[in-house]
Amino acid sequence: MKRLIATLIGIILGISLFAQQTVQPKIMVIPYTKDGEDIRTILENDVNKRIALTKIKEAFDSRGFTTIDFTAKLKAAKSDATFVDDNKSDLKSMIIQNSGADIYVEAEVDILLSATGNSVKTVVTAYECSTGNSLSNKVGESGKFYTDDIGKLTSKAIESIAEDFLNTMQLKFNDIVENGKSVIINFGFDSESEYTMSSEIGTQGLLLSDEIELWMEANAHKNNYHIQGTSDNLMIFDDVRIPLKDSTTGNNYNPNKFALEIFKFMRTLGLQIGRDIKGNTIYITIK
């Protein structure tokens, strides 16, 4: 009896440990928008898209994922004086970055009405929030039915791909948790700069390119980085891993924070730099 109890306790502890090791992301579902479209009016003007987003969110909820309500975030943004008309093109990215989500899922819904039956096609793509890297994408179709219930058709379209989509997304996310997320870093020089990658710099008199590589080796997540190429005027890292979370605060870690660490390092070498971040690419310009 004691052996049986010990075995059961071992199984329970094993299951608990596995659950703790599998970190699930926070997800926000947002509507697909074309260039020039105002995301604030997309949902207000189309009840079918509101239904579709709700059904997709429910698919995640039913599988135990933590979801963030995009509509609620949108309403909060609309009442915030910061989000004025001039910012409408950046509204989506602002909501994504301030949502607390790890992943956002962009959903495009195509409703096809015909005399032979109605159908819905959905295109869903998951992106890692801070880098914009794609994690999973699938196209789902409901099939044709004689019904005007767009929500029901959307559910069928989502259910046809939900398992494959979520499994792929979770595998990619697990890899990010374990190995970090990938960013690209371009080091270049201002046209007036007196330095090149061959300049001897720092207390050890190493080449600038060597100083940068040594720092990258020490600061990339699990020392994981790859150099695409180096010349006198350019050094490109095409895959540098940064952590998913800030080890100090527990908040999402992003390329901007890593760029700040590069800025601090360059200061120790007596160098002034400019920095620009676009998606998952960091541009460093040495002055």
Side-chain angles (χ1 to χ4, degrees):
M1 185 66 178
K2 289 182 178 179
R3 184 178 296 175
L4 176 60
I5 292 173
T7 301
L8 289 173
I9 290 173
I11 292 172
I12 292 169
L13 288 174
I15 293 171
S16 175
L17 179 61
F18 177 78
Q20 291 174 7
Q21 290 174 338
T22 304
V23 179
Q24 284 193 333
K26 293 180 181 178
I27 301 171
M28 183 169 65
V29 183
I30 70 172
Y32 169 81
T33 54
K34 299 176 183 177
D35 288 342
E37 285 186 324
D38 186 352
I39 199 168
R40 288 176 289 190
T41 62
I42 292 294
L43 298 182
E44 291 176 357
N45 296 339
D46 195 332
V47 64
N48 289 328
K49 286 187 178 178
R50 293 200 299 272
I51 292 171
L53 287 187
T54 300
K55 291 298 180 182
I56 295 169
K57 182 177 178 296
E58 286 175 357
F60 293 137
D61 289 334
S62 66
R63 288 162 175 79
F65 286 91
T66 300
T67 58
I68 294 171
D69 191 332
F70 171 76
T71 304
K73 293 291 182 182
L74 182 61
K75 287 180 179 178
K78 288 172 65 177
S79 63
D80 190 333
T82 305
F83 298 102
V84 295
D85 288 340
D86 290 342
N87 290 328
K88 72 178 183 179
S89 61
D90 295 324
L91 181 58
K92 182 172 74 172
S93 61
M94 289 178 179
I95 292 175
I96 290 169
Q97 293 302 325
N98 292 303
S99 66
D102 299 300
I103 293 172
Y104 72 93
V105 176
E106 196 168 57
E108 182 178 4
V109 181
D110 190 10
I111 301 166
L112 306 172
L113 307 177
S114 74
T116 58
N118 299 331
S119 64
V120 166
K121 179 186 288 186
T122 58
V123 181
V124 287
T125 306
Y127 298 93
E128 199 278 315
C129 282
S130 67
T131 63
N133 289 338
S134 176
L135 302 179
S136 181
N137 61 284
K138 296 289 179 183
V139 178
E141 297 187 42
S142 65
K144 285 188 176 183
F145 293 89
Y146 288 104
T147 178
D148 293 326
D149 190 339
I150 301 302
K152 193 171 184 178
L153 293 175
T154 302
S155 292
K156 284 185 174 294
I158 291 299
E159 287 302 319
S160 71
I161 58 171
E163 288 302 322
D164 285 345
F165 178 81
L166 291 172
N167 288 341
T168 301
M169 185 188 73
Q170 185 69 59
L171 283 172
K172 292 282 187 70
F173 185 76
N174 289 348
D175 180 68
I176 291 173
V177 171
E178 177 65 23
N179 299 309
K181 48 195 176 187
S182 176
V183 296
I184 300 167
I185 306 176
N186 283 277
F187 288 88
F189 296 88
D190 184 85
S191 59
E192 302 296 323
S193 177
E194 61 183 272
Y195 299 99
T196 70
M197 285 298 170
S198 300
S199 297
E200 294 184 4
I201 200 163
T203 57
Q204 301 181 73
L206 298 177
L207 301 185
L208 177 55
S209 59
D210 293 332
E211 286 280 6
I212 292 173
E213 183 173 1
L214 287 171
W215 185 88
M216 202 65 67
E217 181 181 17
N219 289 272
H221 185 65
K222 293 188 175 181
N223 315 113
N224 196 341
Y225 71 96
H226 182 265
I227 300 176
Q228 178 179 309
T230 305
S231 68
D232 256 5
N233 298 315
L234 194 65
M235 189 172 190
I236 300 175
F237 293 81
D238 58 354
D239 185 7
V240 176
R241 296 301 177 105
I242 65 175
L244 177 69
K245 300 288 183 180
D246 189 307
S247 59
T248 304
T249 65
N251 295 331
N252 287 351
Y253 195 86
N254 57 45
N256 189 60
K257 291 182 179 179
F258 197 69
L260 176 59
E261 295 305 314
I262 295 174
F263 173 81
K264 293 177 181 177
F265 160 64
M266 288 296 190
R267 277 287 184 87
T268 67
L269 297 178
L271 297 175
Q272 297 291 326
I273 67 166
R275 49 190 167 136
D276 190 21
I277 297 95
K278 295 180 180 178
N280 69 326
T281 302
I282 300 170
Y283 298 92
I284 302 295
T285 303
I286 300 167
K287 299 180 179 179

